[in-house]
Amino acid sequence: MEEYTETEPHATRTPKRNVSQGMKSLAVLFILGTASAVAGLFMVDSSGQPTHGTAVAATPPPLAVTLLSATDMSDSTVLVHQTGTLKSRQTLTELVVSLGANHQDANSALQTLYSGDLLDARRLRPGLTAETYLDGDHLKALSIRAEADRSLLITRSQDGNWEATALNARLTPSVHRIAASIDTSIYDTARRLGAGDQQVVDFANAFAYDVDFQREIHPGDQFEIVYETYVDERGKPIKSGDVIFASLNGQALSRDFYRFTPSDDQVPDYFDSKGESATKFLMKTPINGARLSSSFGKRRHPISGYTRLHKGTDFAAPSGTPVFAAGHGVVVRASRYGGYGNYVKIKHANGYETAYAHLSRYGRGMKSGKRVRQGDIIGYVGSTGASTGPHLHYEVYIKGTPMNAMRLKLPTGRKLAETPEILEEFALKKAEIDQIRASQGADIGQALLVSASTGRP
């Protein structure tokens, strides 16, 4: 890639300070009040540690006052500021060019982000915001709002090269509680009260094993959601986090769930007030949109011709269909395995193991020793090994013995009462969440507060 170097005009007087063009551009942005890219942000170095104080929008900070004298300002060109958002199927380079920058500048500036691992071009999402600061079609500075709490600022250095700086918002964690009766749907009611899409999804996931949200939710049913939120130094909400409490009191079900991460397996989950997990132990069908094509039991093998025990269940599905981990566990094998082809085996608690064969490829990062959660993509349907067509061969073992997954009475999710020390940890977390709920208006009952404070659910 050809490198563009800016040619400086000959100066008629000696500048008072030797300041890089990139730093001048940054300071001019502060002075002009176009601080939407840096308002409420502070600089961090490569290790993530802050290197400067917080910038305040439209107020010239000490950095700008120190760097720019009257002479600097008279030599500085007033830059044209353009803002745009990334559209579906649009590249970031195309967006920056559409905002007025020439193609070479756009490519060079963005390459600074990619080569410095500050931005992954493969994970860009529509709606990402870009701001350009231009002298004609020459790009002087570029700001990318990579995430709600993180911006990237690219400026020119004195030698004409590009320099990138990460600007992270100084966020304060908080929690927010919403509670209401359902009128049309939980989604509509929760969104109207300020919850985001992800919070509604998390709420639904907590109850997914217990209630059919299309048929078993009725007007007048009541719900409560307590979720994490993060505000900047001006108190403005920047992003929302995990749901830490979910409650549904309706015709079909009345149950509460608390988000808790046991210290022994480090897998966050939702547990009811007794410490029983919301999720079931294993999925019977770790694949969506597939049909059962061959059952567990003795059969004549379609390739070898021998009659022998078919140790698993086959699900016919198009090649490339995602395959999910049937439960929480640790991958013990992710490699080619004879007639099984591309194969993954996962060890779960209580002597259970699951295996997945004939995969076309593995899920990202899948290798021996990797810890997975129920529902994680561990691979994709294929026809590798001794296979006559694309399908998933799924096996369940209990203490080394193959079992029929379709007839297996699978245990419910984890019960913390089986590990008293973990149950005690949960009781403390539950008490903390209940105190938060009470402080935000929840009527959780004096008896509940007393039992929570003693560490006994």
Side-chain angles (χ1 to χ4, degrees):
M1 181 182 296
E2 182 181 358
E3 182 180 73
Y4 171 78
T5 304
E6 184 179 47
T7 303
E8 299 275 356
H10 291 290
T12 58
R13 57 186 179 276
T14 303
K16 294 182 179 180
R17 295 175 180 83
N18 183 18
V19 181
S20 73
Q21 182 66 28
M23 292 304 295
K24 286 185 180 180
S25 298
L26 176 57
V28 169
L29 303 188
F30 279 113
I31 290 292
L32 292 177
T34 57
S36 58
V38 290
L41 302 171
F42 66 96
M43 290 189 180
V44 295
D45 59 21
S46 58
S47 66
Q49 297 302 312
T51 59
H52 290 287
T54 302
V56 180
T59 301
L63 176 63
V65 174
T66 301
L67 291 177
L68 291 179
S69 65
T71 299
D72 291 319
M73 286 298 292
S74 65
D75 287 342
S76 299
T77 303
V78 176
L79 304 179
V80 176
H81 173 221
Q82 300 284 356
T83 302
T85 57
L86 189 68
K87 298 180 177 62
S88 180
R89 298 186 179 181
Q90 183 183 36
T91 68
L92 194 49
T93 298
E94 290 171 342
L95 171 59
V96 175
V97 170
S98 73
L99 296 177
N102 66 64
H103 199 276
Q104 183 175 342
D105 280 1
N107 264 335
S108 299
L110 291 172
Q111 187 58 40
T112 306
L113 297 179
Y114 303 145
S115 62
D117 292 329
L118 293 173
L119 191 66
D120 187 344
R122 299 168 298 179
R123 298 189 177 185
L124 299 179
R125 296 288 183 267
L128 176 149
T129 301
E131 298 181 66
T132 57
Y133 301 88
L134 304 159
D135 179 6
D137 70 343
H138 293 296
L139 186 63
K140 298 297 184 180
L142 172 65
S143 173
I144 303 293
R145 177 60 64 88
E147 301 167 26
D149 60 338
R150 182 171 180 263
S151 289
L152 303 169
L153 184 65
I154 308 101
T155 57
R156 284 190 187 273
S157 62
Q158 191 172 15
D159 58 9
N161 293 322
W162 294 98
E163 294 179 346
T165 305
L167 301 167
N168 292 344
R170 193 189 302 274
L171 301 182
T172 301
S174 184
V175 292
H176 184 64
R177 173 183 176 268
I178 60 173
S181 295
I182 299 168
D183 41 26
T184 56
S185 70
I186 287 180
Y187 178 81
D188 290 338
T189 307
R191 293 287 282 121
R192 189 173 63 250
L193 293 174
D197 287 346
Q198 189 57 54
Q199 284 69 55
V200 179
V201 168
D202 288 348
F203 179 91
N205 286 340
F207 287 94
Y209 293 90
D210 297 296
V211 64
D212 183 337
F213 281 93
Q214 291 184 336
R215 298 176 178 84
E216 297 181 329
I217 297 298
H218 306 279
D221 290 354
Q222 299 199 354
F223 73 96
E224 178 183 349
I225 306 176
V226 181
Y227 59 93
E228 299 169 335
T229 185
Y230 299 86
V231 299
D232 63 18
E233 292 187 339
R234 294 166 293 174
K236 179 182 177 181
I238 298 298
K239 66 176 183 177
S240 298
D242 296 319
V243 169
I244 62 172
F245 177 81
S247 174
L248 181 62
N249 183 7
Q251 297 181 30
L253 179 76
S254 292
R255 202 173 184 191
D256 301 337
F257 287 114
Y258 299 78
R259 182 179 173 87
F260 171 66
T261 304
S263 62
D264 54 357
D265 64 11
Q266 291 297 313
V267 177
D269 201 351
Y270 290 98
F271 295 86
D272 67 13
S273 57
K274 296 179 180 179
E276 297 184 6
S277 171
T279 59
K280 303 307 179 189
F281 183 67
L282 292 178
M283 297 177 177
K284 285 189 176 181
T285 55
I287 186 173
N288 290 330
R291 65 178 177 85
L292 195 154
S293 57
S294 183
S295 300
F296 181 94
K298 287 187 176 182
R299 67 165 189 175
R300 185 174 183 270
H301 195 276
I303 295 179
S304 68
Y306 293 107
T307 298
R308 58 186 180 186
L309 177 65
H310 185 235
K311 296 181 181 180
T313 305
D314 290 348
F315 297 95
S319 184
T321 301
V323 176
F324 309 114
H328 304 332
V330 177
V331 176
V332 294
R333 181 166 189 157
S335 63
R336 192 86 177 185
Y337 186 30
Y340 283 113
N342 292 334
Y343 176 87
V344 171
K345 192 168 190 178
I346 301 174
K347 183 178 181 180
H348 308 280
N350 304 324
Y352 283 77
E353 291 180 309
T354 55
Y356 316 77
H358 308 306
L359 304 173
S360 59
R361 58 192 176 97
Y362 302 102
R364 179 176 294 180
M366 200 54 50
K367 61 181 180 179
S368 178
K370 179 178 176 63
R371 187 175 293 278
V372 294
R373 294 193 63 196
Q374 186 178 77
D376 286 351
I377 295 177
I378 55 92
Y380 300 85
V381 168
S383 189
T384 56
S387 170
T388 58
H391 71 285
L392 168 67
H393 175 77
Y394 173 54
E395 298 179 347
V396 177
Y397 293 84
I398 301 179
K399 296 181 179 178
T401 302
M403 308 296 292
N404 185 349
M406 297 302 100
R407 294 186 177 180
L408 193 62
K409 287 189 176 181
L410 294 170
T412 58
R414 181 173 183 179
K415 297 181 179 179
L416 299 180
E418 296 174 353
T419 48
E421 66 278 10
I422 304 299
L423 181 62
E424 186 174 345
E425 291 179 11
F426 170 71
L428 295 174
K429 185 64 177 180
K430 177 177 174 292
E432 176 186 330
I433 293 174
D434 282 337
Q435 292 288 359
I436 292 171
R437 293 174 57 218
S439 70
Q440 297 198 20
D443 182 13
I444 62 176
Q446 185 63 32
L448 180 58
L449 276 176
V450 171
S451 65
S453 64
T454 63
R456 296 186 298 273

